Amino acid sequence: LVDRAVMGVVEIISSLPMLLTGMILILALDIRRGLTAFLIALCLVGWGEIAQTVRAEFIVLRERPFIEGARVVGVRESGLVWRHIFPNVLPMLVVITLMEMGSVLMLLGELAFVGVFIGGGSHTTGVNDEAAVIAEIPEWGALLADTRPYVRSYPWMVLAPSAAFFVAVLGFNLLGEGLRQIARDAGVNTAAIITKRIALIGGAIALATWYIAGHIGPGTSYAQLAYGFDGARALAHAETLVEIQTESPGFGTAGSERAAAYIAEQFVA
């Protein structure tokens, strides 16, 4: 019953246009949330294909003689999955992961071409009476979206972000195909790496990476300054400076000198 329910959901998701569904989910999750909205939306859209592939591989492997032998000696279902089936599926999962990276990049490029890109925010600036839309996040999708209004007049602007997408997708596909051939021809002993020790080492590396990324770099100091910012106090300072300048406006006046002295006092305090 669980298998039928999951596969029914997968069939429903597979029948929907991926581009349209992804765009609706991203907008529904608030595109201005940035990468989080894209991660959730693309996972909801793309998990079905991977689930079908893994399920088909499990069905093939469970009929193999070594699985029957493990059942005969009394290995439980969980042991069959983690000790015998999963190690044989792992190389395929690595290949699928690399292939899916290329597919995700392709989908990001398609979404960007219709104006949906990470961050979703942009601002307009004018130079010499000419308006230009500049994305707030400088990523490939935003660069591709920015070139859309100029495709006819300046078609070469689209070449740089398109070439970046093309090279990245081609690289992921070639890497996945190469790993697939290595796993098929040479064979990979994945059972040796699926151990508690390797899992602990991987967890330690992940925690260390998370800690370093969150506590080192300019973003951390900026975040501390942002959290310590007192809006009410800043507004009070601004109102005081406005009152001082109102009494004696202009540079080189008594008001400007009082304002400078007030600012200096606040820095000392």
Side-chain angles (χ1 to χ4, degrees), residues 9-23:
V9 174
V10 170
E11 291 175 359
I12 293 174
I13 294 176
S14 301
S15 64
L16 300 174
M18 185 174 293
L19 178 63
L20 180 61
T21 307
M23 182 171 61

Side-chain angles (χ1 to χ4, degrees), residues 172-253:
F172 280 125
N173 288 340
L174 291 178
L175 181 58
E177 180 63 20
L179 291 178
R180 186 185 67 82
Q181 293 182 3
I182 291 174
R184 182 191 62 189
D185 299 336
V188 180
N189 184 15
T190 56
I193 62 175
I194 306 177
T195 61
K196 293 182 180 180
R197 180 179 298 178
I198 297 299
L200 291 175
I201 293 174
I205 294 174
L207 288 175
T209 304
W210 172 78
Y211 180 82
I212 292 172
H215 295 79
I216 295 178
T220 304
S221 60
Y222 295 154
Q224 294 176 353
L225 291 174
Y227 289 135
F229 179 75
D230 188 348
R233 184 180 177 186
L235 181 61
H237 290 320
E239 291 176 349
T240 302
L241 291 173
V242 169
E243 292 177 0
I244 294 174
Q245 286 293 319
T246 303
E247 296 175 359
S248 178
F251 294 101
T253 61

Side-chain angles (χ1 to χ4, degrees), residues 48-119:
E49 182 180 355
I50 299 176
Q52 287 178 317
T53 304
V54 173
R55 176 180 178 274
E57 191 69 15
F58 265 61
I59 291 174
V60 172
L61 288 173
R62 73 179 183 180
E63 304 298 332
R64 300 286 291 273
F66 65 89
I67 299 297
E68 296 295 333
R71 285 200 181 100
V72 170
V73 299
V75 179
R76 294 183 298 179
E77 293 294 330
S78 59
L80 288 175
V81 171
W82 293 109
R83 297 181 186 176
H84 299 283
I85 296 182
F86 185 68
N88 288 278
V89 176
L90 185 58
M92 182 200 67
L93 289 177
V94 174
V95 174
I96 290 178
T97 301
L98 294 172
M99 295 295 187
E100 285 297 316
M101 288 181 180
S103 300
V104 168
L105 283 176
M106 286 289 294
L107 183 58
L108 288 176
E110 295 171 1
L111 288 170
F113 198 74
V114 296
V116 178
F117 51 89
I118 296 176

